Amino acid sequence: MAMTLEQLRILLSNEEPDYIKIAASLDASDTAHIKQLAADQDEMLASKAVYLASLAVDPTASDIVIDAADSDRKRIKISAASANANLSDSKKNRVAEKLIDCDDVSIQKLVVRSLSKPSAAIKTKLRKLSTDSSSQVVRNLCTDKLKTTP
Amino acid sequence: MAITEAMWVHGHAMRVEYPDRLSSTWRAGFYVRTVGKPNSTNWFHFAVPTTVIVKNKRQMVDSVMLRFRAGSNHASVTNVHVYDGPTRIATHDGLDISPSGFEFHRFNVAGKPDVLWGIGISIGVKFSGTTDAQNTLEFSSAGCDFNLFETVRLHFKVLTAPDIAIDTMLDSMRQVYEPAGFRVVRASDENLNLPDLNVVDVGQCRRGQTTDEQDTLFANRNNAGANDVVVYFVDATSPPYNGCAAHPTGQPGAVVASGATRWTLGHEVGHVLGLSHVNNNDQLMTGNGTSSITNPPPDLATSEITTMRNSNLTINP
Ligand SMILES: [Zn+2]
């Protein structure tokens, strides 16, 4: 059921939005509003909209996440990395390619964790990070991911 | 909130810090009259006799009060500082109060600290007139109210400092909690260098459910007693929330994200104390986001106050 922009804004302004419940009430006609909120000046709201996009049934909504990975706002990037876990395998790799080289342990942690079928290019990055990352957590995640993914 | 103790001192007990900056001081039965020299500032001090313990309970400082008048708007009170012994416990600066008739003014002491050594009220004053009549201030009384609040003790663990200063968040929280009878004690501060947890996985943020990362983060409880609430200031949560109050059993606490509002801290601690969302933007626990609050400071409902009082994390005075 289509929501007004204001309705969606209020649902996402919740301190702790219930993403699954909100996503279940969305249809393709809501995607434009999610996109608009994902570009909002309020970074907290924008980052929530990016995450919601990853759960929307409309397949084009995932482009909002892919675009967010290019954002120059760190919180939006973090949200894209977090949201990546909900995307399809091919889209996961696209987001991962944009974010895995960023110099931020928390983003790398989320990206590596989100991967299910890493591409050859991503696997090369994982191998490098598994030895070179400054974070023990990221090194371990990369090692585990290489062992457990096809 | 009933006042448990109120202490006043007569105006003519006032001490002047810089007597040479006054043209005259006249102590009479009614009040003390001071006439400042043109373009002078000064500090006037009242020592308030202080019963620090009443019926075996150490009192908490609620607010201080002054009753005074000015000869013109060229004589004014510009600062009110409250001391407990050597420690300044409240600072009200940037004032410009010059009532033409005797007026009662109250100045809040945020944090409602235990009183230890005796209350001093230091009043900054300014005289900018040209005549004695213009540069006259008369104080008839100064006093202090004491109270007993239920106490919530907070420990702040900072991984990333939030956009809105922690001081502002705490001050905002107190604006909501104190009128409801709860004082918020900032028991300790610690910086945590945990880059791996700076974006912390909080899952769906459901009460009683925690992720491995929450379990690891909430294990950091240096200085905190079993019933103290620990607040972790992180860069962000995954997925993105303003904060999340889900915590491991026996480790009460919450995370607050760097993009949180000034009310998020009070909101998350509200969850920790047992409160749920309401659909009312006049209230702290609104489920429409504290960024939507319409009447700052937001309210706590009577039923919410009861829930908070019943929490074992609020300590009876
Ligand atoms: Zn909430």
Side-chain angles (χ1 to χ4, degrees):
Chain A
M1 188 185 72
M3 273 184 230
T4 66
L5 183 66
E6 244 353 85
Q7 284 171 324
L8 193 55
R9 182 192 295 274
I10 288 169
L11 288 173
L12 287 176
S13 294
N14 187 329
E15 242 62 17
E16 311 89 359
D18 189 338
Y19 290 110
I20 291 171
K21 195 171 157 195
I22 302 170
S25 66
L26 298 174
D27 64 29
S29 65
D30 294 299
T31 303
H33 287 155
I34 302 176
K35 187 169 182 172
Q36 190 175 338
L37 293 176
D40 199 278
Q41 282 295 305
D42 177 344
E43 278 194 31
M44 197 75 238
L45 179 66
S47 66
K48 290 170 176 174
V50 169
Y51 190 82
L52 179 65
S54 72
L55 295 168
V57 283
D58 175 14
T60 67
S62 53
D63 291 343
I64 296 169
V65 182
I66 296 168
D67 290 346
D70 287 324
S71 172
D72 47 19
R73 298 193 286 179
K74 188 179 163 204
R75 276 187 203 122
I76 307 301
K77 276 198 163 103
I78 291 172
S79 183
S82 173
N84 203 33
N86 304 322
L87 300 190
S88 67
D89 292 337
S90 63
K91 286 177 174 167
K92 273 182 190 177
N93 284 330
R94 283 182 64 191
V95 171
E97 278 159 21
K98 291 169 190 274
L99 291 176
I100 199 156
D101 289 328
C102 80
D103 189 24
D104 186 298
V105 167
S106 38
I107 291 176
Q108 286 175 330
K109 176 186 81 172
L110 293 169
V111 166
V112 175
R113 213 176 260 165
S114 72
L115 295 167
S116 43
K117 282 186 189 156
S119 64
I122 297 284
K123 279 186 170 173
T124 306
K125 308 252 188 197
L126 291 178
R127 261 177 232 114
K128 190 159 161 43
L129 277 175
S130 70
T131 54
D132 295 1
S133 171
S134 64
S135 158
Q136 174 90 52
V137 168
V138 171
R139 292 199 300 273
N140 291 351
L141 273 173
C142 290
T143 306
D144 288 352
K145 195 57 81 172
L146 286 163
K147 271 189 214 153
T148 54
T149 50
Chain B
M1 286 302 295
I3 296 296
T4 52
E5 186 79 0
M7 299 296 284
W8 285 86
V9 62
H10 195 277
H12 58 212
M14 188 189 83
R15 311 297 299 192
V16 180
E17 185 156 338
Y18 302 107
D20 55 311
R21 298 184 194 171
L22 292 181
S23 340
S24 68
T25 308
W26 179 55
R27 291 190 161 79
F30 346 99
Y31 45 68
V32 59
R33 172 182 292 166
T34 58
V35 179
K37 291 181 180 169
N39 296 312
S40 68
T41 60
N42 218 321
W43 286 95
F44 296 168
H45 305 291
F46 283 102
V48 182
T50 310
T51 326
V52 299
I53 293 172
V54 179
K55 293 181 185 163
N56 290 323
K57 299 220 187 263
R58 184 169 293 281
Q59 300 294 295
M60 303 169 189
V61 187
D62 181 85
S63 50
V64 298
M65 299 149 290
L66 295 177
R67 192 161 181 274
F68 67 103
R69 72 179 173 192
S72 76
N73 57 13
H74 295 286
S76 62
V77 167
T78 54
N79 316 70
V80 175
H81 295 178
V82 185
Y83 286 81
D84 179 15
T87 308
R88 190 156 84 192
I89 57 173
T91 305
H92 295 269
D93 289 334
L95 309 173
D96 185 12
I97 312 173
S98 49
S100 55
F102 275 108
E103 275 185 11
F104 171 94
H105 286 265
R106 184 186 293 276
F107 303 91
N108 186 46
V109 177
K112 314 297 176 190
D114 285 351
V115 63
L116 299 172
W117 305 112
I119 294 298
I121 306 172
S122 296
I123 304 157
V125 296
K126 183 177 77 179
F127 301 99
S128 58
T130 49
T131 67
D132 283 0
Q134 287 176 330
N135 288 333
T136 296
L137 279 175
E138 294 164 345
F139 289 85
S140 70
S141 274
C144 184
D145 278 350
F146 299 89
N147 215 329
L148 292 172
F149 291 81
E150 296 225 6
T151 298
V152 187
R153 284 168 52 85
L154 300 186
H155 299 263
F156 293 151
K157 310 285 186 198
V158 183
L159 288 80
T160 292
D163 292 354
I164 290 173
I166 292 174
D167 285 354
T168 306
M169 290 195 192
L170 177 61
D171 186 56
S172 304
M173 177 179 178
R174 283 171 169 164
Q175 287 175 35
V176 183
Y177 279 58
E178 287 177 351
F182 301 95
R183 72 167 176 173
V184 184
V185 170
R186 182 177 191 161
S188 78
D189 282 76
E190 186 186 8
N191 290 321
L192 292 182
N193 183 25
L194 298 170
D196 296 319
L197 295 172
N198 211 350
V199 177
V200 61
D201 174 13
V202 297
Q204 287 185 47
C205 188
R206 295 272 158 81
R207 186 175 291 161
Q209 295 173 17
T210 51
T211 65
D212 291 349
E213 288 196 353
Q214 280 167 300
D215 293 346
T216 308
L217 182 62
F218 282 70
N220 293 280
R221 285 183 68 84
N222 270 348
N223 311 312
N227 287 337
D228 292 357
V229 177
V230 183
V231 179
Y232 303 89
F233 290 92
V234 298
D235 197 2
T237 62
S238 172
Y241 299 115
N242 289 36
C244 176
H247 56 268
T249 307
Q251 295 176 325
V255 296
V256 171
S258 61
T261 79
R262 61 190 282 226
W263 306 111
T264 301
L265 172 65
H267 177 98
E268 296 305 336
V269 174
H271 283 312
V272 177
L273 299 178
L275 304 185
S276 302
H277 285 163
V278 294
N279 183 17
N280 181 340
N281 291 349
D282 286 347
Q283 289 185 222
L284 178 67
M285 298 314 293
T286 177
N288 306 320
T290 55
S291 57
S292 313
I293 280 168
T294 38
N295 71 331
D299 305 325
L300 288 165
T302 309
S303 60
E304 291 175 323
I305 293 170
T306 303
T307 302
M308 292 163 75
R309 290 180 73 93
N310 289 339
S311 166
N312 58 4
L313 308 180
T314 53
I315 305 151
N316 290 327

